[in-house]
Amino acid sequence: MQRAGSLSSAGASSGSEDELGDSTDAFEASIKKLPGQWGNEDVLRWLITTLSNPKANSCGITDTDFPFERFNQMCGTELLRVKPKDLDFLKPEWAEFLVKQISRLAHPHPRDSRGPEKGPRLWQYLRDELLRPDTSAKPTMKWVDKREGIFQILDSKALAHKWGILKNNRSMNYAHLSRGIRYYYNKNIILPVPNKRLTYQFGPHSSGWRHSD
């Protein structure tokens, strides 16, 4: 497995929420291809999506600590051939988790064959990032009051960069991401917290962040 430089992503336009990747975008198009047809950027987006799911990831992997650079030269065919011994640079529990996910790609369960899942919407991505255990030295977000669904963005640049990679949008920055967040105001999905910089609250039309959901 070769090492390479930095994580890369392909370009896309920015604007409305759909343009930010919440509708048909290159990410969905890549996942509609068979894994054996994936290029390297498809593999990287699959990794980010897999590691961003708190329900699927129960072994404490954080994408800030994950060595994505070790996969920078890998295509889909090579991913499907990965064996546990190829992942000896990962913690054993991380390697076991990833091998299981790769096995699902190679041998999908019948219920997984009904069609590709749509990528997460922005508000769902923010929620899932907050719910995942974050052991990194510089988290991108934190809960201010989890019971009330209030959270604060700590590193807007890093957060926008991660969202841009996931949504295959090289031009993503926080101005674009914040526009996507403002899109949710009228829908009561995410609301701004007055007089608090970069602080928001999940609204009544959001779900999945409460223990009771």
Side-chain angles (χ1 to χ4, degrees):
M1 218 176 278
Q2 297 179 350
R3 299 188 68 126
S6 59
L7 202 59
S8 62
S9 56
S13 62
S14 301
S16 67
E17 188 195 24
D18 284 349
E19 290 172 320
L20 288 173
D22 279 341
S23 183
T24 55
D25 58 14
F27 175 69
E28 289 182 47
S30 71
I31 299 302
K32 287 178 182 176
K33 294 186 293 188
L34 294 173
Q37 299 172 321
W38 289 358
N40 177 243
E41 291 183 354
D42 301 324
V43 170
L44 293 175
R45 286 194 292 272
W46 175 80
L47 280 169
I48 291 173
T49 302
T50 300
L51 301 184
S52 295
N53 187 339
K55 294 182 179 178
N57 179 4
S58 59
C59 55
I61 302 176
T62 63
D63 54 12
T64 52
D65 296 328
F66 191 82
F68 288 103
E69 71 276 3
R70 299 296 294 264
F71 296 84
N72 271 359
Q73 299 294 319
M74 185 179 291
C75 67
T77 300
E78 294 167 327
L79 178 69
L80 295 176
R81 293 174 181 165
V82 167
K83 304 298 181 185
K85 63 182 178 63
D86 300 320
L87 301 176
D88 57 3
F89 55 90
L90 293 176
K91 295 178 181 179
E93 61 270 24
W94 292 18
E96 181 182 1
F97 168 80
L98 198 56
V99 166
K100 286 181 179 179
Q101 300 308 309
I102 293 171
S103 177
R104 288 187 59 189
L105 283 177
H107 308 287
H109 190 280
R111 71 182 181 185
D112 295 331
S113 302
R114 294 173 294 180
E117 289 189 8
K118 189 172 182 177
R121 293 184 176 275
L122 175 57
W123 76 266
Q124 294 170 327
Y125 172 74
L126 297 176
R127 176 200 65 192
D128 292 349
E129 283 290 290
L130 285 161
L131 291 175
R132 289 176 58 225
D134 193 340
T135 60
S136 62
K138 295 183 178 180
T140 56
M141 294 185 292
K142 72 172 184 178
W143 289 109
V144 175
D145 187 337
K146 188 174 182 180
R147 179 176 295 181
E148 297 297 325
I150 299 173
F151 64 94
Q152 182 180 30
I153 295 174
L154 302 175
D155 190 336
S156 57
K157 183 177 180 180
L159 182 64
H161 178 67
K162 289 165 63 177
W163 177 242
I165 291 173
L166 181 60
K167 288 303 181 179
N168 192 27
N169 188 342
R170 182 182 296 161
S171 64
M172 177 62 64
N173 56 34
Y174 187 70
H176 298 151
L177 186 140
S178 63
R179 188 185 310 144
I181 292 176
R182 292 195 299 273
Y183 172 88
Y184 294 120
Y185 291 177
N186 290 336
K187 296 179 176 292
N188 284 324
I189 295 175
I190 291 180
L191 302 170
V193 175
N195 303 318
K196 297 289 185 181
R197 185 175 180 272
L198 298 179
T199 303
Y200 304 91
Q201 181 175 20
F202 288 111
H205 291 170
S206 64
S207 61
W209 56 270
R210 308 176 188 86
H211 289 300
S212 58
D213 286 344

